[in-house]
Amino acid sequence: MDCDGVLWRGKTIIPGVVETLNLLRNMGKRLIFVTNNSTKTRALIQKKIQSFGIQCNQEEIFGSAYAAAVYLKSINFNKHVYVVGEESIASEMKDLGIKYRGVSEHAYIPKSVDEVADSLNPDPEVEAVVCGLDSRVSYPKIAYAHYYLTKNKNCVFLATNTDSYLPVHGKTLPGAGSIVSSLRTSTGREPIVLGKPAITLMELIIKSTGINPSRTCMVGDRLDTDILFGNEGGLKYTLLVLTGVVHEWSQDQTIIPSHIIPSLGDIASFFKAHL
Amino acid sequence: MDCDGVLWRGKTIIPGVVETLNLLRNMGKRLIFVTNNSTKTRALIQKKIQSFGIQCNQEEIFGSAYAAAVYLKSINFNKHVYVVGEESIASEMKDLGIKYRGVSEHAYIPKSVDEVADSLNPDPEVEAVVCGLDSRVSYPKIAYAHYYLTKNKNCVFLATNTDSYLPVHGKTLPGAGSIVSSLRTSTGREPIVLGKPAITLMELIIKSTGINPSRTCMVGDRLDTDILFGNEGGLKYTLLVLTGVVHEWSQDQTIIPSHIIPSLGDIASFFKAHL
């Protein structure tokens, strides 16, 4: 299931959600929390989920920073990865024993384009680039990533997600997809995407957790990420809740969930009333 | 005519070019130098052209930073423009009396995404965004530009050019198009482009200089910028020289110049030999 818009909205838990999740656990269902946010490690996401009174352990969480590290591990990557992204990505790489560069390196060093060219000092061990949301993105960082991706056609190119923008404190800011676009344009290369709705993420989750797609339901509040992810990822069910991005269901949608309910909290109320 | 690859290569003038340009001037032909480089003002471009011994005055130069300022002037823009780009753009705006923000503002301030959202302090007078190559591009800069472009659907969106990469000192670096892509992705908006091969630039040059398209030839070394620019811009002739990007002419091209010569310098030699 998705988190923001499904479990909580901003800083407020959605009524009945804690009860619903406890009920599902008591029925023996497994829960997996999937988020495109690459600026938080699994530990931080867990802390946030628990802060709302929701039970959750780290193995149940798939953030896109973690997914990038799991992907590299899955292809037995043993070189260095250059990270255009935040500490969270570095931290997930470190946890899985993957060596990285970038992150706080090459950020905010004021240089002219000529100076950037002259000062490029590439690491010959870098054979992968991961790009996510990065509040300290800089021209030198993009230049390094561009160098690695164009110099070596086999250099792995990962994007944590391609969300074009994201809501923060009532404003919208450029998303990871905005930064990924810079590299896509300058290099002409397409990344492997590790956020919803990318199929690669679903394959990774199925492989890592051993869930059975024919007995799994994706719960989300967005059609173009969550519901598409479940539908195209081959899950048996997709459940749209109307507590987030989609407030009202209209028939003229092209992405169709198998089920729709007003709120995830309704499941607990339903059981309380009928059983 | 284009400059790099046509008049010079790196730091070396192409043989015969100075004589050819002098000859054309003596025949009463007007010369206009058109470059997509937005990191240099007309004054700096003039200095560079003159450093090779080529006669040239500022009115003959169309750099894309200058073109952006001329465009705003042509629509009687009298608000503020937010610049994601270098001092050159600021300088051309200043020269035409256009008020600007950005440039060195909001560069290299290390903030988290949350802090960027909270510290956004938009200027209500901004009603245009210009995006060019910017060695000090930062997440806050992109966030400001994103804000202006999404908050106000009438906010003018200009790109100095959309070159995806550029060669610098034997390396390739991300071009202005790479930075423009970030904003295009995050805002879903398409910019008005003021670099070759954009038709808007041709219209601006014709309007500003009063040249007659049916008596004008575009000289360049690249098919997808220079020659396409002349062809689609409605010029009578396009002349490809083989001293730059295209070294050899092959028949399977889709963009066809009206004339091809090995080097612009050949014109002087031809006249010397035959007249």
Side-chain angles (χ1 to χ4, degrees):
Chain A
M1 54 182 66
D2 180 40
C3 299
D4 200 1
V6 172
L7 309 179
W8 61 78
R9 248 188 320 223
K11 290 182 173 169
T12 318
I13 184 82
I14 291 167
V17 160
V18 175
E19 294 79 356
T20 297
L21 297 185
N22 287 337
L23 182 74
L24 292 172
R25 281 194 193 280
N26 289 338
M27 291 167 75
K29 307 292 177 201
R30 289 180 62 186
L31 302 178
I32 297 165
F33 304 92
V34 184
T35 162
N36 275 3
N37 189 336
S38 70
T39 65
K40 286 195 168 67
T41 57
R42 286 195 299 166
L44 282 170
I45 297 168
Q46 181 188 26
K47 215 170 136 189
K48 179 149 189 194
I49 293 176
Q50 288 176 335
S51 77
F52 290 106
I54 298 168
Q55 238 192 79
C56 157
N57 65 59
Q58 216 161 292
E59 287 63 43
E60 294 172 330
I61 299 167
F62 256 82
S64 61
Y66 175 64
V70 172
Y71 179 86
L72 289 174
K73 213 64 198 172
S74 79
I75 60 168
N76 299 314
F77 183 80
N78 60 5
K79 299 290 184 168
H80 297 183
V81 53
Y82 187 82
V83 178
V84 179
E86 308 207 345
E87 293 298 338
S88 49
I89 301 180
S91 169
E92 298 287 16
M93 294 294 163
K94 212 184 293 172
D95 277 5
L96 295 194
I98 296 165
K99 293 194 190 76
Y100 62 90
R101 303 293 303 260
V103 196
S104 56
E105 259 186 320
H106 317 135
Y108 305 111
I109 306 161
K111 282 186 185 294
S112 71
V113 170
D114 286 355
E115 286 170 317
V116 172
D118 292 342
S119 67
L120 273 189
N121 182 18
D123 173 350
E125 291 294 306
V126 168
E127 293 191 9
V129 167
V130 175
C131 182
L133 185 59
D134 186 354
S135 63
R136 288 173 302 176
V137 67
S138 68
Y139 188 73
K141 270 193 190 181
I142 297 294
Y144 268 95
H146 173 92
Y147 177 90
Y148 292 125
L149 291 170
T150 52
K151 201 71 187 175
N152 171 9
K153 293 288 168 209
N154 295 320
C155 181
V156 179
F157 183 16
L158 303 180
T160 57
N161 67 89
T162 52
D163 298 16
S164 53
Y165 61 87
L166 76 160
V168 184
H169 302 180
K171 290 169 183 150
T172 69
L173 291 182
S178 170
I179 303 176
V180 171
S181 270
S182 304
L183 286 173
R184 197 191 251 139
T185 297
S186 77
T187 66
R189 292 192 53 179
E190 283 301 317
I192 295 164
V193 182
L194 294 161
K196 295 173 284 185
I199 196 105
T200 312
L201 175 62
M202 184 64 84
E203 290 165 356
L204 218 56
I205 293 177
I206 292 171
K207 202 174 153 194
S208 298
T209 63
I211 57 164
N212 180 351
S214 72
R215 293 174 53 84
T216 303
C217 176
M218 174 73 205
V219 186
D221 68 317
R222 284 185 70 147
L223 293 168
D224 58 349
T225 53
D226 303 323
I227 302 305
L228 189 63
F229 180 60
N231 287 351
E232 302 221 319
L235 298 191
K236 178 100 182 216
Y237 304 108
T238 48
L239 173 63
L240 178 72
V241 295
L242 305 177
T243 43
V245 169
V246 180
H247 297 293
E248 241 178 90
W249 178 250
S250 77
Q251 292 299 334
D252 54 351
Q253 301 291 350
T254 52
I255 301 165
I256 315 283
S258 59
H259 298 82
I260 306 170
I261 52 174
S263 158
L264 188 61
D266 293 346
I267 295 178
S269 335
F270 178 83
F271 271 81
K272 221 181 281 175
H274 292 84
L275 297 184
Chain B
M1 57 183 62
D2 179 42
C3 300
D4 200 3
V6 172
L7 308 178
W8 61 77
R9 250 187 318 222
K11 290 181 172 169
T12 317
I13 184 80
I14 291 166
V17 158
V18 175
E19 295 79 355
T20 296
L21 297 184
N22 288 337
L23 183 74
L24 292 171
R25 282 194 193 280
N26 290 337
M27 292 167 75
K29 307 294 179 202
R30 290 179 64 187
L31 303 178
I32 296 164
F33 303 91
V34 185
T35 161
N36 276 3
N37 189 336
S38 70
T39 65
K40 285 195 168 66
T41 58
R42 286 194 301 164
L44 281 171
I45 297 168
Q46 181 189 26
K47 217 170 135 190
K48 179 148 190 192
I49 294 176
Q50 289 176 336
S51 77
F52 290 107
I54 299 168
Q55 239 190 79
C56 156
N57 65 59
Q58 217 161 292
E59 288 64 42
E60 296 172 329
I61 298 167
F62 257 81
S64 61
Y66 175 65
V70 173
Y71 178 86
L72 289 174
K73 212 65 196 169
S74 79
I75 59 166
N76 300 313
F77 183 80
N78 61 4
K79 299 292 187 169
H80 297 182
V81 53
Y82 188 83
V83 178
V84 180
E86 308 207 345
E87 293 298 338
S88 49
I89 300 181
S91 168
E92 298 287 16
M93 293 296 162
K94 213 184 292 170
D95 278 4
L96 295 194
I98 295 164
K99 294 195 188 75
Y100 62 90
R101 302 292 304 260
V103 195
S104 55
E105 260 185 320
H106 317 134
Y108 305 110
I109 307 160
K111 282 185 185 297
S112 71
V113 169
D114 286 353
E115 286 169 318
V116 172
D118 292 341
S119 66
L120 271 190
N121 182 19
D123 173 350
E125 291 294 306
V126 168
E127 293 189 11
V129 167
V130 175
C131 181
L133 185 59
D134 186 353
S135 62
R136 288 172 301 176
V137 67
S138 68
Y139 187 73
K141 271 194 189 182
I142 296 295
Y144 267 95
H146 173 92
Y147 177 90
Y148 293 124
L149 291 170
T150 50
K151 200 73 186 173
N152 171 7
K153 292 288 169 211
N154 295 318
C155 182
V156 179
F157 182 17
L158 303 180
T160 58
N161 67 88
T162 51
D163 298 16
S164 54
Y165 61 88
L166 75 160
V168 184
H169 301 179
K171 290 168 183 152
T172 70
L173 291 183
S178 168
I179 302 176
V180 171
S181 271
S182 303
L183 286 173
R184 196 190 253 138
T185 297
S186 76
T187 66
R189 292 192 52 179
E190 282 301 317
I192 295 164
V193 182
L194 294 162
K196 295 172 284 184
I199 196 103
T200 312
L201 175 63
M202 184 63 84
E203 290 165 354
L204 216 57
I205 293 176
I206 292 171
K207 202 174 154 196
S208 298
T209 63
I211 58 165
N212 179 350
S214 71
R215 293 174 54 82
T216 302
C217 177
M218 174 73 205
V219 186
D221 68 317
R222 282 185 70 147
L223 294 167
D224 58 347
T225 54
D226 304 322
I227 302 307
L228 187 64
F229 180 61
N231 287 351
E232 302 221 320
L235 298 191
K236 178 98 179 218
Y237 304 108
T238 47
L239 174 61
L240 179 72
V241 295
L242 305 177
T243 44
V245 169
V246 180
H247 298 293
E248 242 177 89
W249 177 251
S250 76
Q251 293 299 337
D252 53 351
Q253 300 291 350
T254 52
I255 302 165
I256 315 282
S258 59
H259 298 82
I260 305 170
I261 52 174
S263 158
L264 188 62
D266 293 347
I267 295 179
S269 336
F270 178 83
F271 272 80
K272 221 180 280 173
H274 293 85
L275 298 180

